[in-house]
Amino acid sequence: MDDVKAIPTPDQNDENFWATVLTPVEPAWNEPGDDDSFAMDEQLLAAARSLAERISTRALAYRTAGKPFDAALMAAPDVQLAMLRSLYEARRSVDRLAESAATVAGRGGSSYAQLGAAWGGIKRQSARLKWPHAVPKKSASESVPLHYAGGDAVIHHDPGADAWWYTATAADLQEDESEAVHGTSAEAIARATEFLLTHARPTRPDTA
């Protein structure tokens, strides 16, 4: 509890907010327990089933007939095939989100060793192969692409100003371009992700 209390928790309007947020804390996470893993399974199952019911041809037939899709129909082999297809999409979503998280963490100062530890304990070399652009080289000032919250941003370096800036198009198609005023790529990424999160695509209602 003392360690938790020692971590500063400034509000976003505080002057030192970004300096504090961009300073990593250790440890970065606590190992999830069985209850956490089971809860994740339940949430993933709910999301995958929702997609399966949208893409299942049998479920579509029931909707067309104006009938509810009874839970017992999930036992149909074809519905389980739709479920399997949905889980494949879930895996692709995880890969995309993992790349975004690794990029934000790496550009914020995390090492490939830390990224690998977070990704189930893979080796540093494996993390580098998985996310080759996540951790910049010390002399790198190239543009950094970022996909987050359904939108895209590119972080640029202005050599003349020795500062970073970004252009972004959010999931709701709102666009933003910052001034070259950010002292580090991590700060520019933080500002870009803040914009992308603010303009994330609204949650799609379930189609019954």
Side-chain angles (χ1 to χ4, degrees):
M1 292 298 293
D2 292 339
D3 291 340
V4 174
K5 291 180 180 178
I7 297 175
T9 57
D11 295 324
Q12 189 170 352
N13 57 356
D14 291 349
E15 182 179 354
N16 64 342
F17 177 79
W18 284 112
T20 303
V21 168
L22 296 176
T23 302
V25 299
E26 291 290 344
W29 75 90
N30 296 308
E31 285 296 328
D34 289 343
D35 289 345
D36 299 314
S37 297
F38 293 149
M40 175 68 78
D41 287 348
E42 291 175 358
Q43 293 175 30
L44 178 59
L45 176 62
R49 177 171 174 172
S50 177
L51 176 57
E53 290 184 13
R54 290 202 298 270
I55 65 176
S56 165
T57 51
R58 186 185 294 270
L60 175 60
Y62 271 79
R63 288 196 298 272
T64 302
K67 296 181 179 180
F69 190 77
D70 192 278
L73 293 170
M74 290 299 296
D78 51 274
V79 176
Q80 285 300 305
L81 286 175
M83 184 70 171
L84 190 61
R85 186 64 178 84
S86 176
L87 288 168
Y88 171 74
E89 288 300 319
R91 189 182 73 172
R92 295 180 65 191
S93 293
V94 167
D95 287 341
R96 289 192 295 268
L97 294 172
E99 183 175 3
S100 293
T103 300
V104 174
R107 295 284 166 169
S110 298
S111 66
Y112 275 116
Q114 291 173 307
L115 298 183
W119 194 248
I122 64 174
K123 294 183 180 297
R124 175 180 58 82
Q125 297 89 335
S126 297
R128 186 188 298 276
L129 289 173
K130 188 171 184 64
W131 305 297
H133 304 295
V135 178
K137 297 178 181 178
K138 291 183 178 179
S139 60
S141 60
E142 77 278 5
S143 296
V144 182
L146 175 67
H147 181 77
Y148 200 77
D152 294 282
V154 180
I155 315 302
H156 309 275
H157 183 252
D158 184 340
D162 192 22
W164 294 81
W165 58 288
Y166 70 84
T167 56
T169 301
D172 64 358
L173 302 183
Q174 292 292 313
E175 297 182 350
D176 189 33
E177 180 175 332
S178 75
E179 299 291 336
V181 294
H182 305 297
T184 65
S185 61
E187 182 181 346
I189 287 175
R191 294 291 189 174
T193 54
E194 179 186 15
F195 170 76
L196 295 176
L197 282 170
T198 302
H199 295 276
R201 184 182 297 111
T203 302
R204 177 179 174 179
D206 291 336
T207 54

